[in-house]
Amino acid sequence: MKAPDGIAHAYSAYTRKKTLLFLFFLVLLAAAALLALCVGSYRLMPMQIIDTLLGRSGEAASIVVWNIRAPRIVAAVIAGWGLALAGVVIQCILNNPLGSPFTLGISHGAAFGAAFAIVVLGEGAVRGSGDNAGVIENIAVNGIYSVTLFAFLGAVLATVVIIILARIRKMAPESIILSGVALSSLFVSGTILIQYFAEDVELASIVFWTFGDVGRASWGEILLMAAVTVPATAWFFMHRWSFNALSAGEDAARSLGVNVERIRIWGMLGAAFLSAMIVSFLGVIGFLGLVAPHMARRIVGEDHRFLVPNACILGGLLLLASDTIGRTILESGALPVGVITSFMGAPLFLYLLVRGTRR
Amino acid sequence: MILSVEGITFGYRSASVLGGVSFSMERGTVSAILGVNGAGKSTLLKCINRILRPAKGVVLLDETDLHKMTQTEIARHIGYVPQKYADNRLTVFDAVLLGRKPYIKWAATKRDIEIAENAIRAMKLEKFVLRPVSELSGGEMQKVIIARALAQEPDILLLDEPTSNLDLKNQVDVMNLITGVAREKKVAVVISIHDLNLALRFAGVFLLLKNGVIRECGGKESITTRIIREVYDVDVVLGEVGGYPVAIPVGP
């Protein structure tokens, strides 16, 4: 006979609580997006936003919402989502809490690839718009897809080095992170070297990459990011049980029927592709892929069934909040979001380390 | 006959670890693999459920070649309890529910939850259900991993030194639970174990490995002072205390 307050009952209440928490974060994200649409140098009321979304407002409000704020809000949510997803996956695959696209040098590898394409392959012609040509906000790189390709190759190069070190040399988790630091440093040095030989215009293009900024993505680029992020999310969510098994150890995962090698390779490549795509369109956005998974882990625990979706939502929320702060804090213009995430992320991460593993 | 291992050979680049190991076992029996450190005990267990791929040899499960199955199919037949538990913060229930991984298509069904619940009860872990595994003691953690393996509903249960980090009470508890599972669920249990006395008390079949080769295989009668000296390089006195067989090392 089972007790009325059976184990299954307690467990189902526990999972229901976690599902509700996910829905709460989803609502919070929607509210944050609405708030972000309202605030800025041209203030709009929520009712005006709704009117604009329904096509019932004036031209000014319509331009502000559709051409300026909505793209950067959507870009922030997708990029934050994707970077957090990449962070969760890397942390699980490498069994290392400090793993992320940023700490492993994947972001810097992508930036180096982009710099290489811009300068060495001559993809760095800058197009500006009207009188503002030359202002960072209005710079865009021509040949964006070949630059993206090289950013991806740079990210994959970093990933392959990490996988080789982790698997063949059987390095300890902390050594892998140190290798990431060394790789980052190498890629940064490479980028500086390229910058040294670059012309003014090319230099401007490279600097454009190193400032992570969600404001520069067009709807087309946002669509491309979504086209990678959505299937990646589906794939990672489909394999959530395998990630749980992997977190119980490699031998345990194999004994539970997980094809560890396949999950590792596809997971790392997927995470690298996601990071490369985001970095190549928006620039380097530090710490987000590290902090969002840890925040989610503290709130919902290690179970990847809940960790993956919550980390993604929190990643989107964090990047959106950072960007909104960045563009409202200065009267004169927007601070690149990469600066804010690094300022916010580094102390938060130190706090997480100091607080230890207590939930 | 349920498990039949024939001529398993395994080696790393520089050294041979297993040199043609063969044995077979029945449902409901507990077999102990004995031998010194590095004799190949853990490697043999991992070769059985293909965590490691042996260079030669066949593992048959009721006449079916296990190594022609997918890893998921193998996981439906063989549960494995590794030597070390990777520190993670899954709750006890989630950790045990992982044992249903080979069966879960998309989400855990009611039946999966029920089986995990039964495994938790079998290991007497009811009061820890929603606690993170990493907050448990060594003995409790070991029980969680055994419960996870039980949730796989295996025909064969492989345990790699399940008592090595446990105190005396937990050693006896865990071994009692394992032998109970073998008896009640008719599971063939294979344990690699260092403690000769625990093995003598709880196992029915003994495999003595030395340098990757079986030196002796059989029931309690096969454990003699001569074979222990040969395998462990230690002189022992065999006797009986409180009705249980014991081996006490003697000499320098």
Side-chain angles (χ1 to χ4, degrees):
Chain A
M1 271 296 275
K2 281 178 203 168
D5 55 338
I7 294 170
H9 188 261
Y11 182 69
S12 108
Y14 166 81
T15 50
R16 203 175 313 122
K17 206 173 92 188
K18 295 207 166 177
T19 311
L20 284 176
L21 212 55
F22 170 73
L23 293 175
F24 168 73
F25 284 128
L26 208 57
V27 171
L28 202 62
L29 182 65
L34 186 66
L35 181 72
L37 278 172
C38 294
V39 299
S41 47
Y42 186 90
R43 276 192 181 276
L44 289 162
M45 298 310 288
M47 276 316 290
Q48 285 175 283
I49 300 287
I50 291 166
D51 282 344
T52 310
L53 294 178
L54 296 173
R56 295 193 306 225
S57 67
E59 198 184 349
S62 178
I63 287 172
V64 167
V65 169
W66 287 112
N67 295 9
I68 300 171
R69 287 188 196 159
R72 70 185 303 151
I73 288 167
V74 177
V77 171
I78 292 175
W81 181 293
L83 288 172
L85 182 63
V88 169
V89 170
I90 290 171
Q91 284 165 18
C92 178
I93 287 175
L94 293 181
N95 188 23
N96 193 319
L98 296 177
S100 80
F102 190 69
T103 46
L104 289 183
I106 296 175
S107 300
H108 294 106
F112 172 77
F116 181 85
I118 289 167
V119 176
V120 181
L121 303 179
E123 299 287 2
V126 174
R127 57 183 153 79
S129 59
D131 295 339
N132 290 327
V135 177
I136 293 291
E137 287 279 310
N138 296 299
I139 287 177
V141 179
N142 286 334
I144 189 86
Y145 300 110
S146 56
V147 174
T148 305
L149 177 71
F150 275 86
F152 176 59
L153 291 179
V156 169
L157 182 67
T159 312
V160 167
V161 173
I162 295 293
I163 290 176
I164 289 173
L165 290 174
R167 298 289 302 138
I168 298 175
R169 303 301 304 165
K170 297 216 180 298
M171 271 191 169
E174 54 273 28
S175 309
I176 293 170
I177 295 301
L178 289 177
S179 313
V181 172
L183 264 186
S184 300
S185 167
L186 188 69
F187 281 126
V188 169
S189 307
T191 310
I192 291 171
L193 190 69
I194 290 174
Q195 282 176 339
Y196 185 76
F197 293 107
E199 290 169 12
D200 292 354
V201 173
E202 292 167 338
L203 198 60
S205 297
I206 297 171
V207 171
F208 165 92
W209 285 84
T210 47
F211 289 165
D213 185 5
V214 295
R216 63 174 72 125
S218 67
W219 279 115
E221 289 154 11
I222 289 169
L223 210 64
L224 264 175
M225 283 198 291
V228 175
T229 308
V230 171
T233 308
W235 189 86
F236 289 127
F237 193 66
M238 243 166 63
H239 289 87
R240 61 203 186 282
W241 288 95
S242 298
F243 285 116
N244 272 353
L246 210 55
S247 72
E250 199 176 315
D251 285 350
R254 281 206 182 88
S255 75
L256 292 167
V258 177
N259 187 333
V260 173
E261 273 67 36
R262 194 192 295 163
I263 287 279
R264 277 213 166 113
I265 296 290
W266 283 107
M268 283 303 277
L269 283 179
F273 190 46
L274 253 182
S275 321
M277 192 79 169
I278 293 162
V279 173
S280 57
F281 286 139
L282 305 181
V284 178
I285 296 167
F287 285 104
L288 196 90
L290 192 67
V291 172
H294 277 283
M295 285 179 78
R297 199 169 276 126
R298 295 216 165 258
I299 297 166
V300 296
E302 288 274 350
D303 185 348
H304 287 78
R305 289 178 298 160
F306 300 103
L307 180 60
V308 170
N310 279 293
C312 291
I313 294 271
L314 277 175
L317 193 60
L318 272 181
L319 197 56
L320 178 59
S322 303
D323 181 54
T324 310
I325 291 168
R327 69 189 170 82
T328 49
I329 204 166
L330 288 184
E331 286 288 319
S332 54
L335 262 181
V337 75
V339 179
I340 312 261
T341 57
S342 291
F343 268 123
M344 218 173 63
L348 190 58
F349 189 65
L350 283 174
Y351 165 73
L352 288 174
L353 282 177
V354 170
R355 213 182 116 177
T357 52
R358 188 166 48 86
R359 191 178 293 166
Chain B
M1 194 75 59
I2 178 169
L3 176 69
S4 178
V5 174
E6 291 170 17
I8 290 285
T9 304
F10 182 86
Y12 294 104
R13 231 170 288 166
S14 52
S16 157
V17 182
L18 296 175
V21 174
S22 302
F23 68 93
S24 57
M25 61 182 305
E26 308 277 348
R27 279 183 183 275
T29 55
V30 176
S31 307
I33 305 178
L34 300 168
V36 295
N37 290 331
K41 302 189 296 294
S42 302
T43 307
L44 176 57
L45 289 184
K46 288 182 190 179
C47 281
I48 293 174
N49 70 345
R50 219 176 61 181
I51 288 178
L52 294 174
R53 281 172 190 270
K56 273 188 210 160
V58 185
V59 178
L60 297 174
L61 179 74
D62 287 331
E63 310 301 320
T64 312
D65 188 350
L66 208 74
H67 288 192
K68 284 189 178 148
M69 294 180 184
T70 63
Q71 200 74 37
T72 305
E73 282 166 343
I74 295 174
R76 289 180 189 160
H77 293 289
I78 304 184
Y80 172 72
V81 177
Q83 202 169 344
K84 282 184 215 145
Y85 180 76
D87 183 30
N88 75 37
R89 297 183 59 81
L90 282 180
T91 65
V92 168
F93 197 96
D94 288 324
V96 175
L97 191 60
L98 257 188
R100 301 303 296 163
K101 163 81 183 64
Y103 301 89
I104 291 171
K105 296 267 190 294
W106 175 254
T109 61
K110 257 188 177 167
R111 187 175 139 70
D112 294 320
I113 303 274
E114 207 177 290
I115 290 168
E117 182 177 350
N118 289 340
I120 284 171
R121 287 187 195 281
M123 287 295 119
K124 301 184 172 67
L125 290 164
E126 293 95 327
K127 58 179 174 178
F128 305 112
V129 173
L130 297 180
R131 283 259 296 273
V133 180
S134 54
E135 287 179 9
L136 302 183
S137 72
E140 290 151 2
M141 256 186 217
Q142 195 64 270
K143 287 178 194 169
V144 171
I145 313 172
I146 297 171
R148 182 182 75 202
L150 288 183
Q152 285 173 254
E153 295 188 304
D155 299 306
I156 299 162
L157 188 57
L158 310 174
L159 300 106
D160 196 355
E161 296 184 20
T163 55
S164 57
N165 295 316
L166 305 183
D167 61 40
L168 201 57
K169 175 167 177 5
N170 274 305
Q171 286 180 10
V172 176
D173 272 3
V174 163
M175 291 305 286
N176 266 323
L177 289 167
I178 292 166
T179 44
V181 165
R183 204 173 40 241
E184 286 155 27
K185 298 190 184 293
K186 294 283 169 238
V187 172
V189 175
V190 188
I191 307 173
S192 112
I193 191 163
H194 273 305
D195 191 323
L196 199 54
N197 289 322
L198 270 183
L200 281 169
R201 176 171 166 186
F202 290 99
V205 180
F206 301 86
L207 273 88
L208 289 105
L209 269 185
K210 187 169 186 185
N211 299 328
V213 178
I214 292 187
R215 288 300 173 95
E216 189 65 62
C217 180
K220 286 206 171 73
E221 72 287 348
S222 58
I223 302 294
T224 61
T225 50
R226 182 195 58 77
I227 193 71
I228 291 173
R229 165 139 195 88
E230 198 183 316
V231 171
Y232 288 97
D233 206 15
V234 170
D235 288 317
V236 295
V237 172
L238 291 172
E240 216 177 82
V241 176
Y244 299 115
V246 290
I248 299 164
V250 291

